[in-house]
Amino acid sequence: MASVANGPFYILKPPNHPGYKLSSGIRTTLWSFSCTNAPFLTLQTSKHKSSTIICFATDKQTSSTETSSTARIRSEVLTPFRSVRMFFYLAFIASGGLGGLIATTQLIAALTNPSRALDAPEIVKGLGIDLGAVSLFAFLYLRENKAKNAQIARLSREENLSNLKLRVDEKKVIPLSSLRGIARLVICAGPASVITEAFNQSEPYTERLVERGVLVVPFPTDGNLPSFEFEESEETKEITAKRKRLWQLTPIYIPEWTKWLDEQKKLAGVSSDSPVYISLRLDGRVRGSGIGYPPWNAFVAQLPPVKGMWSGLLDGFDGRV
């Protein structure tokens, strides 16, 4: 069995654990472990039998070449005529450069030959047109190339995000890309207190968020664990099930998530300790992001309900992706 790399893992407490609150509501919290070269961990308590918790880890990283290739293909699909434009820009630059070279030799000959001196103004005019054309198309080419590189970099970051892993339940780990076309993910990253407050703020919008295919990925950045409390009663049974579904995902392989999030913050000019949220589209592309709490009311107002085929997929999502 492969060894387990260093890094914390977040696992839901079992329902019979004394940490659960069994009065008016149930408190769901998470355990955090750091595994070092161990295929599994065995936990023992004084009141319960030992439990074996499997810790997954991998040293396999997506190669930059593979990611870049995928991003380039997506870039071509999104902007199919960019390569054609860039080809013509290069052709016009070459044509203008060749014309400028010929005009330069003619101008030198005219200046050194008094019999052709009258042709010099016309040659200078043609040379100016050639140089202007070269400058114009060089500017257009550089601008297009800059936009292409920026798009590929953004798509590469989205591909890296899609390769990050999520725990759906105690036995199921999936890449984020498995939820493409199924759910609109909202990554909520920050201190545990901020995530807990975001959890509480989402309560009035739970049903409408679920209708829109939203699933939340809580990512605490301070090493603490957010406290999620669910009311467990006959009257709130349905809404509690939806709230658990809304907040059921847990990121694992934390160093990879931290690295990706730090890169995003650096590119956006956001301090590393700022709480942020990142909203994804159904196809996995980044829809929007911001600092602070996710705007649940804005998501409800802007996102259409998931209908048709996507609704069926989401209704059937129970972790068995």
Side-chain angles (χ1 to χ4, degrees):
M1 181 179 293
S3 63
V4 180
N6 293 330
F9 295 82
Y10 298 93
I11 303 174
L12 286 173
K13 286 185 178 180
N16 60 349
H17 193 274
Y20 270 73
K21 191 177 180 181
L22 297 177
S23 56
S24 60
I26 292 181
R27 174 172 297 175
T28 302
T29 57
L30 302 173
W31 285 345
S32 174
F33 302 98
S34 294
C35 304
T36 306
N37 298 327
F40 61 87
L41 291 178
T42 301
L43 306 178
Q44 293 186 352
T45 64
S46 58
K47 295 182 180 180
H48 300 277
K49 296 181 180 179
S50 62
S51 301
T52 301
I53 300 177
I54 305 300
C55 297
F56 300 90
T58 178
D59 295 328
K60 182 180 179 181
Q61 299 288 339
T62 302
S63 66
S64 58
T65 303
E66 180 182 351
T67 301
S68 177
S69 175
T70 304
R72 289 179 184 279
I73 293 173
R74 290 184 61 194
S75 177
E76 290 293 334
V77 172
L78 292 173
T79 53
F81 298 109
R82 173 175 286 157
S83 297
V84 177
R85 291 196 300 269
M86 294 180 71
F87 170 79
F88 280 110
Y89 291 157
L90 287 176
F92 294 148
I93 291 172
S95 177
L98 181 60
L101 179 62
I102 295 174
T104 300
T105 59
Q106 291 176 345
L107 179 62
I108 294 174
L111 294 176
T112 57
N113 188 351
S115 63
R116 299 184 57 190
L118 296 177
D119 297 334
E122 194 67 26
I123 296 174
V124 170
K125 180 179 178 181
L127 179 60
I129 293 174
D130 290 334
L131 292 179
V134 170
S135 300
L136 173 62
F137 289 112
F139 168 76
L140 294 176
Y141 177 84
L142 291 176
R143 187 182 67 173
E144 198 76 52
N145 191 57
K146 182 179 179 181
K148 176 183 177 181
N149 292 336
Q151 184 184 54
I152 291 177
R154 176 177 60 81
L155 293 175
S156 295
R157 293 194 299 271
E158 291 179 356
E159 286 299 318
N160 291 337
L161 173 62
S162 70
N163 292 326
L164 297 179
K165 301 297 190 296
L166 295 168
R167 184 183 298 281
V168 181
D169 55 36
E170 293 182 1
K171 298 181 180 180
K172 189 67 177 179
V173 174
I174 61 173
L176 189 144
S177 58
S178 296
L179 296 175
R180 283 179 178 171
I182 297 178
R184 296 183 173 106
L185 298 184
V186 176
I187 301 170
C188 183
S193 59
V194 172
I195 295 177
T196 301
E197 181 60 25
F199 170 80
N200 294 332
Q201 290 182 5
S202 70
E203 184 173 5
Y205 307 99
T206 298
E207 289 192 61
R208 285 172 288 176
L209 288 171
V210 172
E211 288 175 357
R212 285 155 177 78
V214 175
L215 293 178
V216 184
V217 180
F219 181 63
T221 57
D222 59 355
N224 297 320
L225 302 177
S227 177
F228 297 159
E229 295 186 8
F230 299 98
E231 293 294 330
E232 197 72 12
S233 64
E234 197 63 32
E235 293 78 8
T236 61
K237 183 178 180 180
E238 183 177 352
I239 190 66
T240 298
K242 291 183 177 180
R243 282 184 64 70
K244 289 181 178 180
R245 173 181 174 181
L246 181 65
W247 292 83
Q248 66 179 311
L249 300 177
T250 305
I252 62 172
Y253 309 146
I254 302 303
E256 297 179 10
W257 278 88
T258 301
K259 179 182 178 182
W260 184 87
L261 187 63
D262 288 345
E263 290 177 353
Q264 294 298 109
K265 288 183 176 181
K266 184 177 180 180
L267 289 170
V270 178
S271 61
S272 59
D273 57 347
S274 297
V276 297
Y277 69 88
I278 301 173
S279 172
L280 305 184
R281 303 175 188 268
L282 273 175
D283 60 4
R285 291 183 296 156
V286 174
R287 176 179 178 272
S289 60
I291 301 175
Y293 302 108
W296 306 118
N297 57 339
F299 292 155
V300 169
Q302 297 171 7
L303 297 176
V306 180
K307 297 180 179 179
M309 177 177 64
W310 305 129
S311 178
L313 286 172
L314 189 60
D315 290 339
F317 177 68
D318 57 1
R320 296 191 296 270
V321 177

